[in-house]
């Protein structure tokens, strides 16, 4: 549990460090995306590869859809790309974690990161968390590797799940879904699977099933962030869940051919052999390739149908029957698991622009009343302007409260 906690903390520190160092550039990249579905996928892939968290990317996407910064079709493309981008972590672990002693440079990385954080006058300090996160990530992996070096005979019952045939594979997917939802990170869970498989504790088929399940479990953050959001934001979260479930079902139907394809792409048999050190790297490469091939194939299958998927989501998630236009509700999602100030900056700017537009509307109403002076119309316009003023007062209060919350968040040097 301690090793897992260190791994998760390292991943969180890495992600937040990169986001702090990049400022709001990543959010800007997401918000200026064009309607081109291919560009949207590439953007989601790039952002997720950088911040090492598809959950963080999808929470951003849901937030931006909720604030009407992104359309639903744009969000769908980015979500597809985020699923591919999250496989980068598996490749880092696969290529670095089992080729040499990663603990040899994990501690120096933490030291470098801490030293960078002391350079208060330089922007480089913002990347200190990134280096410390990498160091703790690798240290956590090393500790997990030591902890999970279990005797294959003692964990035979785990691998025995695959003896149940198709039901055993489905059970493996469900376990992967539940555990990933519990730790809120498919990247971390995949790293655990990689480590256990490389230690001989998991066989190839069960590892594959667990990784497939992790793709469903990782949607938990998007779902939680959309609970009190707009209908469009709920649709974006629905697409994320539906996309991963449908992709997993297709992979399960074609499970044996799917594993055979991975075996062709990665030379060597994914079997643990204590006498063959290279077997660890081979098993890890198979799992990383499976994760990548699954998400790439799912994206290729569903990408041509982005508009149809958006229409389906609109039919499944209906618009609210009653809209309250008399009172202001902040259309910004405060994430319980992914809090960085830069995530809210653009959304706050948009709300301030809306507030300014309403003030201009009030001035126009007053101008019309004064230009064509009529006592009856002035009374009507006065009531309208008063209602607008109350609405703007509510906007001011909500926006000010959010700005104060942002100021109190950790790492708010640019707040």
């Amino acid at each position: 549990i301690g090793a897992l906690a260190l791994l998760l903390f390292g991943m969180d520190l890495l992600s937040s460090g990169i986001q702090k160092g990049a400022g709001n550039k990543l959010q800007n990249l997401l918000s200026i995306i064009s309607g081109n579905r291919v560009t949207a996928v590439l953007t989601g892939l790039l952002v997720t590869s950088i911040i090492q968290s598809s959950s963080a990317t999808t929470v951003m996407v849901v937030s931006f859809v909720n604030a009407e910064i992104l359309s639903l079709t744009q969000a769908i493309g980015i979500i597809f790309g985020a699923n591919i981008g999250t496989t980068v972590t598996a490749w880092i672990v696969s290529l670095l974690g089992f080729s040499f002693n990663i603990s040899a440079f994990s501690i120096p990385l933490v030291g470098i990161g801490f030293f960078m954080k002391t350079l208060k006058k330089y922007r480089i300090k913002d990347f200190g968390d990134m280096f410390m996160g990498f160091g703790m990530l690798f240290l956590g992996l090393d500790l997990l590797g030591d902890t999970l070096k279990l005797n294959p005979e003692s964990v035979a019952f785990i691998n025995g799940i695959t003896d149940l045939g198709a039901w055993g594979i489905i059970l493996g997917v469900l376990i992967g879904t539940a555990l990933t939802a519990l730790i809120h990170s498919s990247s971390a869970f995949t790293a655990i699977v990689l480590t256990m498989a490389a230690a001989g504790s998991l066989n190839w088929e069960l590892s594959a099933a667990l990784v497939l399940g992790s793709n469903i479990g990782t949607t938990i953050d998007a779902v939680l962030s959309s609970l009190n959001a707009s209908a469009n934001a709920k649709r974006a979260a629905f697409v994320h869940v539906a996309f991963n479930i449908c992709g997993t079902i297709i992979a399960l139907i074609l499970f044996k051919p799917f594993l055979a394809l991975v075996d062709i792409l990665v030379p060597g048999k994914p079997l643990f052999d204590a006498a063959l050190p290279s077997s660890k790297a081979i098993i890890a490469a198979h799992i990383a390739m499976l994760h990548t091939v699954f998400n790439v194939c799912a994206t290729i299958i569903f990408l041509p149908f982005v508009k149809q998927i958006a229409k389906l989501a609109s039919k499944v998630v209906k618009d609210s029957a009653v809209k309250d236009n008399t009172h202001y509700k902040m259309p910004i999602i405060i994430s319980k698991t992914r809090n960085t100030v830069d995530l809210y900056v653009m959304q706050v700017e948009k709300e301030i622009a809306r507030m300014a537009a309403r003030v201009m509307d009030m001035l126009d109403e007053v101008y019309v009343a004064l230009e064509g002076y009529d006592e009856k119309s002035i009374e009507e316009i006065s009531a309208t302007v008063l209602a607008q003023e109350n609405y703007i007062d509510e906007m001011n209060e909500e926006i000010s409260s959010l700005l104060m919350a942002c100021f109190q968040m950790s790492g708010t040097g640019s707040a």
Side-chain angles (χ1 to χ4, degrees):
I1 291 173
L4 174 60
L6 189 61
L7 171 67
L8 290 171
F9 181 67
M11 294 194 71
D12 188 60
L13 202 59
L14 168 63
S15 178
S16 63
I18 293 173
Q19 290 182 69
K20 280 196 294 182
N24 60 357
K25 292 183 179 65
L26 294 175
Q27 286 77 18
N28 282 328
L29 182 61
L30 285 178
S31 65
I32 62 176
I33 191 71
S34 68
N36 186 319
R37 65 190 72 184
V38 175
T39 311
V41 170
L42 292 175
T43 303
L45 192 161
L46 176 63
V47 171
T48 306
S49 299
I50 292 172
I51 65 177
Q52 293 291 297
S53 174
S54 62
S55 296
T57 302
T58 50
V59 167
M60 279 188 226
V61 169
V62 170
S63 298
F64 287 171
V65 171
N66 189 60
E68 299 178 7
I69 295 174
L70 287 174
S71 68
L72 181 58
T73 52
Q74 290 172 326
I76 292 172
I78 295 172
I79 288 169
F80 288 178
N83 276 21
I84 301 174
T86 195
T87 65
V88 171
T89 307
W91 281 110
I92 291 174
V93 175
S94 170
L95 297 174
L96 300 180
F98 306 103
S99 302
F100 48 86
N101 185 8
I102 57 174
S103 62
F105 67 96
S106 59
I107 299 299
L109 279 175
V110 174
I112 292 169
F114 184 79
F115 174 73
M116 290 170 67
K117 285 175 69 69
T118 63
L119 303 175
K120 302 291 185 182
K121 295 181 180 179
Y122 304 97
R123 185 65 189 268
I124 195 174
K125 68 179 174 59
D126 292 330
F127 289 100
D129 284 348
M130 180 187 76
F131 279 85
M132 292 181 70
F134 260 124
M136 291 182 183
L137 167 67
F138 289 135
L139 187 59
L141 277 173
D142 188 57
L143 290 172
L144 268 179
D146 291 337
T147 306
L148 298 176
K149 285 179 180 175
L150 306 173
N151 187 332
E153 287 75 22
S154 67
V155 290
F157 71 95
I158 298 177
N159 291 317
I161 291 175
T162 54
D163 294 336
L164 300 174
W167 289 110
I169 300 301
I170 293 172
L171 179 59
V173 170
L174 294 176
I175 292 172
T177 300
L179 293 178
T180 304
L182 184 65
I183 65 176
H184 290 268
S185 175
S186 63
S187 297
F189 182 73
T190 304
I192 294 170
V193 173
L194 280 164
T195 305
M196 291 188 70
S201 301
L202 293 177
N203 62 37
W204 169 222
E205 288 192 351
L206 182 56
S207 298
L210 291 170
V211 169
L212 290 177
S214 73
N215 285 279
I216 300 175
T218 193
T219 63
I220 185 70
D221 281 332
V223 172
L224 292 175
S225 66
S226 70
L227 292 179
N228 295 316
S230 66
N232 251 3
K234 287 185 173 70
R235 288 164 188 155
F238 166 78
V239 168
H240 192 205
V241 176
F243 170 69
N244 285 4
I245 289 177
C246 290
T248 301
I249 290 172
I250 293 172
L252 287 175
I253 293 171
L254 303 172
F255 192 68
K256 293 293 184 182
F258 181 43
L259 296 192
L261 173 61
V262 175
D263 289 337
I264 293 171
L265 294 173
V266 181
K269 292 186 178 181
L271 298 173
F272 175 75
D273 186 350
L276 190 63
S278 61
S279 68
K280 292 184 177 182
I282 293 172
I283 295 170
H286 271 76
I287 296 172
M289 181 60 77
L290 176 137
H291 199 196
T292 302
V293 169
F294 167 77
N295 285 295
V296 169
C297 289
T299 298
I300 292 172
I301 291 170
F302 292 108
L303 189 59
F305 308 104
V306 165
K307 291 183 179 179
Q308 290 82 353
I309 292 171
K311 288 181 181 178
L312 175 63
S314 298
K315 289 182 180 179
V316 174
V317 182
K318 304 290 185 182
D319 286 312
S320 178
V322 180
K323 290 186 177 181
D324 184 9
N325 293 319
T326 58
H327 295 285
Y328 175 74
K329 182 181 178 183
M330 176 74 76
I332 295 178
I333 300 168
I334 303 294
S335 173
K336 295 180 180 178
T337 56
R338 306 281 174 183
N339 272 338
T340 57
V341 173
D342 291 321
L343 177 60
Y344 308 114
V345 170
M346 289 169 39
Q347 300 177 69
V348 170
E349 288 175 348
K350 192 173 182 67
E351 290 308 295
I352 292 173
R354 284 176 174 167
M355 185 167 69
R358 280 187 172 267
V359 172
M360 294 304 296
D361 289 341
M362 287 172 60
L363 291 173
D364 289 341
E365 293 278 2
V366 172
Y367 176 78
V368 170
L370 295 176
E371 185 181 39
Y373 186 83
D374 177 51
E375 193 169 327
K376 185 177 180 181
S377 64
I378 285 179
E379 289 179 1
E380 293 175 356
I381 290 173
S382 177
T384 303
V385 170
L386 183 61
Q388 286 273 60
E389 183 184 354
N390 291 334
Y391 190 89
I392 289 169
D393 286 343
E394 291 177 4
M395 290 185 79
N396 180 54
E397 187 175 341
E398 291 273 346
I399 292 172
S400 298
S401 297
L402 177 61
L403 289 173
M404 286 301 298
C406 288
F407 184 76
Q408 292 168 1
M409 287 179 192
S410 61
T412 56
S414 60

